[in-house]
């Protein structure tokens, strides 16, 4: 018999949500076979079986929140026969009283579920950790009165503590599912759909709020004439693709190289605050924001100062594919020193991007739009122009450095041959 436990995920991740079970009780599994997918705050993780055998028990269902190290399934020896859990359930079913349904058929009354779930007087199911139940008993707290922070409704110790410390207020009686279904909306002519936020969407919301509350964030803007880089790309893209096994030459490699050069010139932009210390990073791992169906993720392209244009483009493409296929690993997401986000692919003309946590700044790219530009006092020309934005933590970066950084990026993109000298 082998226990399937939630593996160590990352230093900052202590729990996950059961997303999908690939196997059910009674199914045969091979050693190393994926049996369940966990959704964490950052990525989805597939958990494998360390032993071959048969799933005899599943201890957590899809949607349940599980902590690192907790047992979520049992793999036993033998073929796909009835499991001990099923046998025990059958025994319990045989021993429970029988109740009669409307048609007069005799049906067994439902057996009590696990230790972490029970029903209150009104029949609604309460899910809580053992430590939360013990804490509630010690302080005389009714679990039915607690509104948990967990999106799946799991009550934890900190929820009980919050209830103890909360000011006493009259509690309205809880509605049964039948009462809730019969309840009329305040304005029936204005229908709404209410749904739980996914773990990842909730994490994104909390992180963005945390950054906005804990940083002195400002944004500075500039505009870039894209004429020269677009001409260079047009001349070289076919040969580039042919010489680099089909890798396409995009704009992201130019901006990544320009950012690396600017970070070397303005090291405070590549820094972070740790307590009373300022950490100046001497590596250039650039996060590239990628939009997925479940929200924005920021995989990291490592050592961009050591990669050429083709290697950067290839890395960005591979990470984007993994993100959209939900195949990103935790290592793909951790440790970036600076981030680039391109709202221009969605048509954004200008925005103020929010800094990624633990970083000091983020560069926002936007749509390329043909606009009339004054070449000199006598001439006007239509040029492909892009607004760029640098959001930065003013605790670390002074306005002069922020403006200088963005100006350096502008100059390198407008004279792309200089990137060869700066790379």
């Amino acid at each position: 018999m082998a226990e399937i436990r939630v593996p160590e995920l990352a230093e900052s991740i202590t729990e996950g949500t059961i997303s999908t079970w690939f196997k059910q009780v009674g199914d045969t599994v091979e050693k190393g076979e994926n049996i369940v997918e966990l959704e964490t705050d950052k990525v989805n993780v597939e958990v494998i079986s360390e032993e071959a055998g048969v799933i005899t028990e599943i201890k957590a269902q899809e949607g349940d929140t599980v902590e690192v190290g907790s047992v979520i399934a049992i793999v036993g020896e033998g073929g796909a026969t009835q499991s001990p859990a099923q046998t025990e359930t059958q025994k319990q079913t045989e021993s429970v009283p029988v109740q009669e349904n409307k048609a007069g058929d005799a049906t067994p009354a439902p057996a009590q579920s696990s230790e972490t779930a029970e029903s209150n007087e009104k029949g609604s199911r309460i899910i809580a950790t053992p430590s939360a139940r013990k804490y509630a008993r010690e302080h005389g707290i009714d679990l039915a009165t607690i509104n948990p922070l967990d999106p799946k409704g799991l009550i934890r110790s900190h929820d009980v503590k919050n209830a103890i410390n909360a000011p006493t207020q009259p509690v309205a009686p809880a509605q049964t599912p039948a009462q809730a279904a019969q309840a009329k909306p305040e304005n029936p002519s204005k229908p709404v759909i209410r749904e739980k936020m996914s773990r990842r969407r909730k994490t994104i919301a909390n992180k963005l709020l945390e950054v906005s509350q804990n940083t002195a964030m400002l944004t500075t803007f500039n505009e870039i004439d894209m004429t020269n880089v677009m001409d260079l790309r047009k001349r070289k893209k076919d040969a580039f693709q042919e010489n680099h096994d089909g890798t396409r030459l995009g704009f992201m490699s130019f901006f990544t190289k320009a950012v690396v050069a600017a970070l070397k010139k303005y090291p405070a932009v590549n820094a972070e605050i740790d307590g009373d210390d300022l950490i100046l990073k001497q590596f250039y791992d650039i996060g590239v924001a990628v939009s997925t169906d479940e929200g924005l993720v920021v995989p990291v392209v490592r050592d961009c100062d050591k990669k050429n244009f083709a290697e950067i483009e290839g890395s960005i493409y591979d990470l984007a594919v993994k993100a959209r296929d939900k195949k990103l690993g935790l290592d793909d997401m951790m440790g970036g020193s600076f981030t680039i986000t391109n709202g221009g692919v969605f048509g954004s003309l200008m925005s103020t991007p929010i800094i990624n946590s633990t970083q000091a700044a983020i560069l926002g790219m936007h749509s390329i739009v043909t606009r009339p530009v004054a070449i000199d006092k006598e001439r006007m020309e239509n040029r492909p122009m892009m607004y760029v934005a640098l959001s930065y933590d003013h605790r670390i970066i002074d306005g002069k450095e922020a403006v200088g950084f963005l100006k350096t990026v502008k100059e390198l993109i407008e004279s792309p041959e200089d990137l060869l000298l700066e790379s």
Side-chain angles (χ1 to χ4, degrees), residues 109-171:
Q112 185 69 17
S113 59
S114 66
E115 293 181 355
T116 60
E118 62 184 28
S119 296
N120 62 15
E121 294 177 355
K122 299 190 179 294
S124 59
R125 190 165 179 262
I126 300 173
I127 306 174
T129 63
S131 59
R133 293 187 183 282
K134 180 181 178 183
Y135 198 29
R137 285 196 301 270
E138 292 174 349
H139 292 81
I141 299 295
D142 183 0
L143 290 174
T145 65
I146 295 178
N147 185 22
L149 296 176
D150 188 279
K152 302 300 181 182
L154 177 64
I155 299 174
R156 300 181 183 280
S157 297
H158 60 258
D159 296 315
V160 180
K161 183 177 180 181
N162 291 341
I164 294 171
N165 296 331
T168 303
Q169 295 180 353
V171 179

Side-chain angles (χ1 to χ4, degrees), residues 44-270:
N44 287 15
V45 177
E46 291 183 343
V47 180
I48 66 171
S49 175
E50 298 292 344
E51 300 291 341
V54 174
I55 300 291
T56 60
E57 185 177 0
I58 288 179
K59 293 179 173 289
Q61 302 303 315
E62 292 182 3
D64 289 352
T65 298
V66 290
E67 298 180 351
V68 169
S70 62
V71 178
I72 56 177
I74 303 294
V75 175
E77 298 178 355
T81 58
Q82 188 178 42
S83 69
Q86 290 174 311
T87 303
E88 181 63 26
T89 300
Q90 184 176 355
K91 291 179 181 178
Q92 292 176 356
T93 303
E94 293 172 351
S95 64
V96 297
V98 176
Q99 60 187 15
E100 190 172 290
N101 61 20
K102 292 181 181 179
D105 296 331
T107 57
Q112 185 69 17
S113 59
S114 66
E115 293 181 355
T116 60
E118 62 184 28
S119 296
N120 62 15
E121 294 177 355
K122 299 190 179 294
S124 59
R125 190 165 179 262
I126 300 173
I127 306 174
T129 63
S131 59
R133 293 187 183 282
K134 180 181 178 183
Y135 198 29
R137 285 196 301 270
E138 292 174 349
H139 292 81
I141 299 295
D142 183 0
L143 290 174
T145 65
I146 295 178
N147 185 22
L149 296 176
D150 188 279
K152 302 300 181 182
L154 177 64
I155 299 174
R156 300 181 183 280
S157 297
H158 60 258
D159 296 315
V160 180
K161 183 177 180 181
N162 291 341
I164 294 171
N165 296 331
T168 303
Q169 295 180 353
V171 179
Q175 287 184 321
T176 65
Q179 291 172 328
Q182 294 175 357
K184 295 182 178 179
E186 294 183 2
N187 189 346
S189 65
K190 304 292 183 182
V192 300
I193 297 175
R194 182 184 296 272
E195 59 184 24
K196 288 284 188 182
M197 293 170 63
S198 69
R199 168 179 288 274
R200 192 158 303 152
R201 173 55 61 185
K202 189 174 181 179
T203 299
I204 291 171
N206 291 337
K207 288 291 185 182
L208 293 178
L209 183 61
E210 178 185 341
V211 169
S212 64
Q213 291 176 338
N214 295 329
T215 62
M217 194 176 74
L218 293 178
T219 305
T220 186
F221 300 91
N222 212 319
E223 61 178 354
I224 297 177
D225 185 344
M226 299 291 290
T227 301
N228 292 335
V229 74
M230 291 177 71
D231 287 346
L232 176 60
R233 180 173 174 268
K234 184 177 180 180
R235 294 195 314 269
K236 300 294 185 180
K237 66 178 183 178
D238 291 338
F240 184 91
Q241 190 168 352
E242 182 179 347
N243 293 333
H244 297 288
D245 298 325
T247 301
R248 298 178 61 183
L249 179 61
F251 293 121
M252 286 302 299
S253 54
F254 288 95
F255 275 90
T256 301
K257 280 296 188 181
V259 160
V260 169
L263 289 174
K264 291 180 178 179
K265 188 174 181 180
Y266 297 95
V269 184
N270 202 35

